[in-house]
Amino acid sequence: MKIINVAGARPNFMKIAPLMDSFRSQAGIESMLVHTGQHYDEKMSDLFFRELGIPEPDVNLGVGSGSHAVQTAAIMQAFEPVLLEHKPHAVLVVGDVNSTIACGLVTAKLGIKLIHVEAGLRSFDRSMPEEINRVLTDAIGDLLFCSEQSGVDNLRQEGVAEDKIHLVGNVMIDTLLRHRGKAETSRILHSLGLSNGAYAVTTLHRPSNVDDVATLRGVMGALEEIGREMPVIFPIHPRTRQRLASFGIQTNHAQIRLIDPLGYLDFLKLISAARVVLTDSGGIQEETTILKVPCLTLRNNTERPVTVAVGSNQLVGSEPASILKAYRHLQNHPGRSSATPPLWDGHAAERIVRIIQEKL
Ligand code: UD1
């Protein structure tokens, strides 16, 4: 059986790594990797391949950036000939980025089986491009692997056939558990002059936070306030850096330390020793849950509600007053305990590969 795996953007790489590993050790499965090239900077892509031991992609579509329509169409046009040439039995896509839906759509139209890993997650916010990608990919998928029970419930609610849905755990956590020991040896705290538990980490890249000048200015103001009490380390996504520059928003470097995007191991070390993480990322809500580091999510909704239910994550929105209120509450109530979601145990990829073998 030949399977083509697709990865395109930074959060895909941590998800595809354990799957490539599990496929490799499985007799009877020939697995290929296609990189769409949605992310292409060394620090957004190649670094992750090296650190996570992901094999060189068999094909790189090299599509790069563009508007949603341009990027999605470019991936589709470049991916179709790859499927026609290699004739796989199935295509596996992960997550919710434009590469996910673009390759999913081409696969389904060619009558090839489509596997979606991280299926069923819903923020119920259609203004998020990722929500559109999630809903559409699940609607055309043949095998849908969920990381948490809410994913299963959402798919059932949408009328998806029961035999397509499988709760398997979280492949991103497979990668975290596998690399945690190595991340401990990272020198990032030393090189940034930080001590354990005495700083905050922030990441921001969602259009809802960074594309509106007033919102971005407000969030940066709240981070500066926090920065008066402890260093705020901000590994900055390229699109956020562009927005800060084009809006003319200056940051006070004594309070917020803007640094280039980090590799996987340095970033894992950085968040694991932080006092608090403030983010609008999806994956970081999950990683902090396992690391037991309090996470304030700068959004009004999450497609990963289990992270809130187990007690590590809080939705605080983007209003400066509510960000600061939640931060102060955390400072005054340290040591809240949180639980680990079911099946986030490092074995999700193995379960997925076993089910693929049984079902296809
Ligand atoms: C994409 C995903 C988002 C994910 C995020 C993680 C979609 C719709 N969005 O958002 O779900 O959370 O990746 O990072 O797929 N750029 C660079 N170098 C790169 C890549 C991008 O400079 O290697 C800049 C370009 O100016 C580009 C912009 O970032 O236009 C946005 O990149 P894009 O891939 O369109 O979306 P992200 O914001 O990264």
Side-chain angles (χ1 to χ4, degrees):
M1 173 166 48
K2 188 193 274 185
I3 296 193
I4 290 191
N5 299 276
V6 174
R10 184 170 59 176
N12 292 165
F13 306 140
M14 306 72 148
K15 295 170 194 165
I16 214 72
L19 288 162
M20 294 303 293
D21 247 11
S22 294
F23 280 132
R24 209 170 9 208
S25 58
Q26 205 61 228
I29 296 189
E30 182 194 344
S31 86
M32 284 177 62
L33 180 60
V34 172
H35 189 331
T36 65
Q38 176 175 347
H39 284 176
Y40 43 84
D41 285 349
E42 151 72 21
K43 287 187 171 159
M44 301 291 285
S45 178
D46 292 4
L47 182 53
F48 287 80
F49 274 71
R50 286 199 302 278
E51 287 192 337
L52 301 178
I54 306 171
E56 278 284 307
D58 297 279
V59 181
N60 192 324
L61 306 179
V63 297
S65 304
S67 68
H68 285 274
V70 165
Q71 188 176 59
T72 308
I75 298 169
M76 290 179 69
Q77 281 189 321
F79 190 56
E80 188 177 49
V82 175
L83 293 191
L84 293 175
E85 181 188 340
H86 293 281
K87 301 186 175 45
H89 296 90
V91 170
L92 181 150
V93 296
V94 295
D96 55 15
V97 301
N98 285 345
S99 301
T100 310
I101 180 59
C103 294
L105 203 45
V106 173
T107 302
K109 290 279 182 86
L110 287 176
I112 297 169
K113 296 274 184 229
L114 176 63
I115 303 165
H116 185 205
V117 173
E118 206 183 81
L121 296 183
R122 299 287 181 266
S123 64
F124 301 101
D125 173 1
R126 294 265 172 119
S127 71
M128 283 179 83
E130 293 81 3
E131 182 74 353
I132 310 276
N133 295 342
R134 290 190 277 260
V135 169
L136 296 181
T137 306
D138 288 338
I140 55 176
D142 297 287
L143 268 181
L144 303 175
F145 292 109
C146 301
S147 54
E148 58 170 89
Q149 183 60 38
S150 77
V152 173
D153 299 341
N154 293 331
L155 293 172
R156 283 184 181 147
Q157 191 73 28
E158 289 169 19
V160 173
E162 200 61 35
D163 63 341
K164 289 185 178 181
I165 308 172
H166 301 273
L167 180 63
V168 290
N170 192 325
V171 284
M172 194 145 188
I173 301 306
D174 288 6
T175 294
L176 185 154
L177 295 176
R178 226 167 266 187
H179 289 84
R180 204 171 172 179
K182 215 193 232 171
E184 273 310 307
T185 66
S186 152
R187 305 275 297 151
I188 188 71
L189 264 56
H190 177 77
S191 57
L192 294 174
L194 300 169
S195 18
N196 244 318
Y199 61 92
V201 176
T202 194
T203 78
L204 289 175
H205 73 285
R206 295 262 164 241
S208 58
N209 278 325
V210 308
D211 286 0
D212 177 69
V213 61
T215 308
L216 184 55
R217 209 182 281 285
V219 170
M220 293 302 286
L223 295 173
E224 268 185 21
E225 279 295 314
I226 296 170
R228 289 181 212 285
E229 293 173 26
M230 62 175 81
V232 176
I233 313 302
F234 188 172
I236 191 162
H237 189 286
R239 77 194 305 278
T240 310
R241 193 181 277 285
Q242 287 162 11
R243 293 293 184 272
L244 287 177
S246 65
F247 294 151
I249 299 176
Q250 306 282 338
T251 49
N252 181 331
H253 298 294
Q255 284 146 15
I256 304 180
R257 292 173 56 183
L258 297 183
I259 59 173
D260 279 344
L262 293 173
Y264 183 76
L265 298 173
D266 283 343
F267 188 72
L268 184 54
K269 173 68 187 178
L270 188 70
I271 56 172
S272 66
R275 170 76 192 83
V276 56
V277 172
L278 302 102
T279 188
D280 60 12
S281 150
I284 297 171
Q285 296 171 49
E286 301 182 332
E287 290 167 339
T288 48
T289 293
I290 294 297
L291 297 169
K292 314 271 183 217
V293 173
C295 179
L296 302 181
T297 294
L298 308 189
R299 290 171 46 190
N300 295 317
N301 51 54
T302 179
E303 60 288 333
R304 294 162 160 91
V306 75
T307 60
V308 176
V310 298
S312 62
N313 185 20
Q314 268 183 80
L315 299 179
V316 301
S318 309
E319 287 292 325
S322 49
I323 297 170
L324 290 170
K325 186 171 166 216
Y327 166 75
R328 301 239 179 279
H329 188 267
L330 265 184
Q331 286 293 74
N332 295 331
H333 301 84
R336 244 162 34 115
S337 65
S338 63
T340 300
L343 299 177
W344 289 22
D345 59 359
H347 299 289
E350 293 156 36
R351 291 186 193 103
I352 289 171
V353 171
R354 201 177 321 125
I355 295 168
I356 290 175
Q357 280 207 309
E358 279 165 26
K359 292 273 181 177
L360 298 185

